[in-house]
Amino acid sequence: MNGTVFDDGRPADAVSGHWVDRRAPRPWRPYLRLARIDRPIGWWLLLLPCWWSAALAAIAADQAFPDPWHCLLFLIGAVAMRGAGSTYNDIADRDLDAQVERTRLRPLPSGQVRPRHAALFLVIQALIGLAVLLQFNAEAVVIGLCSLLPVAIYPFMKRVMPMPQAILGLAFAWGALMGWAAVFARLDPPALLLYAGALCWVIGYDTIYAVQDIEDDEIAGIRSSARLFGRHVRLAVGLCYALAALFVVLAARGAGAGPVGYLGIAAFAGHLAWQVLSLRERDGRGALTLFRSNRDAGLILFVGLTADALLRNLA
């Protein structure tokens, strides 16, 4: 077994005591679970590269802090598009999810939501995301729309490639481009380097996440980086995280960051190192805890870059 399975319709990695399960009207709960509202770590991980990019752009533009309006739009967009992406993924994966202990009680494989209703829910969430995207400049809108390609192909990659986490990374790291484009209406080397760092970060943390499912994935024939790396999973995650930190350093240098920014990067890298040292092969419960801790790692980096922008402006 890869984790506890609840008997009230919640999947195994649901957050205990979440308001979705306590306060939301019962008919809404399967749809809120389909959008992963009960598991906010997903939208946090989609949001944080956006905020990193906004903070990096603030440093480069000599602004005191990231644009608050942009940060709010990124928050709303991350929640909507995380929900849309999860709904799309679950529609595509409903047969595979039924074979995996951790996912068999998701709304679609368990029959709580019909596929056609899930498709309509997907369209509604995507329209919310589009409305948010259209608030930015034309260049950012085009860049944002390009993110739909990796989102569209990701659910099918776990069937054909040994490391589908790379495709997931292309999608989840996209925000590292958006914050910069929203300020400068173009992409420059610091944004591209930040994107590379975010991509490596995503591959690392999603490999940790995949440790939960190694046994069931082997039975179902689902491919993952955790299966690919096997006994070397800790080394592989460590390499991904080291590259992530290196690329973020190069991005900060290109944007003209100061000592406080580098201190934030060092704290971010320290958190990632702790994750690597704590990771245990086939320890699903521990892997989930480490995976969720990436919200804190990402916030540490955001605070460091934001503080650098503020202090440089005050100096």
Side-chain angles (χ1 to χ4, degrees):
M1 297 290 181
N2 289 315
T4 303
V5 178
F6 302 103
D7 59 7
D8 60 354
R10 286 184 292 152
D13 51 356
V15 176
S16 178
H18 196 273
W19 66 265
V20 167
D21 304 306
R22 293 183 292 107
R23 299 180 182 176
R26 190 168 295 275
W28 295 9
R29 293 178 189 178
Y31 292 94
L32 294 173
R33 291 169 183 160
L34 194 61
R36 306 294 197 272
I37 299 301
D38 59 331
R39 282 176 285 169
I41 184 59
W43 60 257
W44 269 115
L45 296 177
L46 189 61
L47 170 66
L48 285 164
C50 301
W51 281 4
W52 296 351
S53 187
L56 198 69
I59 293 173
D62 200 26
Q63 298 171 350
F65 42 78
D67 188 307
W69 175 238
H70 288 175
C71 289
L72 177 60
L73 289 173
F74 288 139
L75 172 59
I76 298 170
V79 175
M81 293 312 296
R82 165 59 175 166
S86 296
T87 303
Y88 173 71
N89 185 77
D90 282 8
I91 292 172
D93 279 357
R94 59 188 183 274
D95 294 332
L96 289 177
D97 284 345
Q99 303 176 55
V100 177
E101 184 77 5
R102 182 178 57 82
T103 59
R104 66 180 180 84
L105 287 184
R106 283 180 175 174
L108 279 165
S110 65
Q112 299 172 63
V113 176
R114 294 181 180 181
R116 67 175 180 270
H117 295 159
L120 177 60
F121 185 50
L122 165 61
V123 171
I124 293 171
Q125 294 174 94
L127 288 175
I128 294 172
L130 178 60
V132 170
L133 181 62
L134 292 177
Q135 305 308 305
F136 294 102
N137 59 54
E139 291 79 6
V141 170
V142 172
I143 292 168
L145 289 174
C146 289
S147 69
L148 295 178
L149 178 59
V151 171
I153 66 175
Y154 166 68
F156 308 100
M157 292 299 101
K158 63 186 70 175
R159 298 165 171 83
V160 298
M161 66 180 294
M163 197 169 71
Q165 279 73 18
I167 306 300
L168 181 71
L170 293 175
F172 261 68
W174 209 269
L177 305 175
M178 294 299 297
W180 189 278
V183 172
F184 294 109
R186 64 177 188 271
L187 292 179
D188 298 307
L192 298 175
L193 288 166
L194 186 67
Y195 179 67
L199 171 61
C200 294
W201 180 55
V202 176
I203 295 173
Y205 71 59
D206 203 58
T207 297
I208 293 176
Y209 187 74
V211 168
Q212 298 176 89
D213 298 328
I214 287 180
E215 296 175 4
D216 286 336
D217 285 351
E218 289 170 347
I219 295 171
I222 300 172
R223 302 179 183 225
S224 75
S225 52
R227 286 188 63 196
L228 174 67
F229 298 135
R231 291 179 298 173
H232 304 294
V233 66
R234 180 195 269 182
L235 176 62
V237 172
L239 178 60
C240 288
Y241 280 171
L243 288 172
L246 174 61
F247 281 125
V248 173
V249 166
L250 294 175
R253 180 180 179 184
V260 175
Y262 289 113
L263 182 61
I265 297 171
F268 170 68
H271 194 291
L272 300 186
W274 166 77
Q275 292 181 41
V276 173
L277 294 174
S278 302
L279 181 61
R280 297 293 182 269
E281 183 186 351
R282 296 181 183 267
D283 176 12
R285 188 179 299 275
L288 181 59
T289 298
L290 292 174
F291 165 75
R292 287 175 172 166
S293 75
N294 277 283
R295 182 202 65 171
D296 299 334
L299 284 172
I300 288 170
L301 178 56
F302 173 65
V303 169
L305 294 176
T306 300
D308 188 79
L310 178 62
L311 293 175
R312 285 162 56 85
N313 195 267
L314 293 176

